[in-house]
Amino acid sequence: MNLSELAWGFIGLLLTVMVLSYLIGDNFFFRLAAYIFVGLTAGYVAVLLINEILWPRLIQPLITGPRHSLIWMVIPLILVLLLFLGQIRRFSG
């Protein structure tokens, strides 16, 4: 067993104890472990989405694809941008 396996094993043990501390009541350690798990999951999903869907199916065809199929790639890109723009709150002056 090398040092890396030992360190990750200790981190896993620590997170397991932090999650099981919920049995004695909702406390800081349980909430910290929950935040860590949610953050790691959100980061993993974001990287997976970029590497497996957005880059090979949207960005690469826009860069290297033939000109006649470019219009079919621009339409989803515009729709995604409209979705993001719809999430921006309007400032009332």
Side-chain angles (χ1 to χ4, degrees):
M1 181 181 279
N2 58 19
L3 187 60
S4 172
E5 290 176 355
L6 187 64
W8 285 114
F10 180 73
I11 290 171
L13 175 71
L14 184 66
L15 284 171
T16 302
V17 170
M18 289 169 72
V19 168
L20 289 176
S21 72
Y22 184 70
L23 295 174
I24 59 172
D26 189 19
N27 55 27
F28 172 75
F29 296 115
F30 172 75
R31 285 181 289 174
L32 180 65
Y35 294 149
I36 290 171
F37 285 136
V38 168
L40 285 173
T41 303
Y44 178 74
V45 168
V47 168
L48 193 66
L49 177 74
I50 291 169
N51 286 337
E52 299 293 326
I53 296 173
L54 290 179
W55 181 255
R57 297 181 187 221
L58 182 64
I59 305 301
Q60 271 185 341
L62 280 173
I63 296 171
T64 62
R67 294 288 177 201
H68 63 84
S69 67
L70 185 63
I71 190 70
W72 296 110
M73 292 296 128
V74 171
I75 293 171
L77 187 62
I78 290 172
L79 291 174
V80 166
L81 290 174
L82 287 174
L83 279 172
F84 283 135
L85 288 175
Q87 297 301 317
I88 297 174
R89 294 180 185 230
R90 295 185 180 160
F91 295 105
S92 59

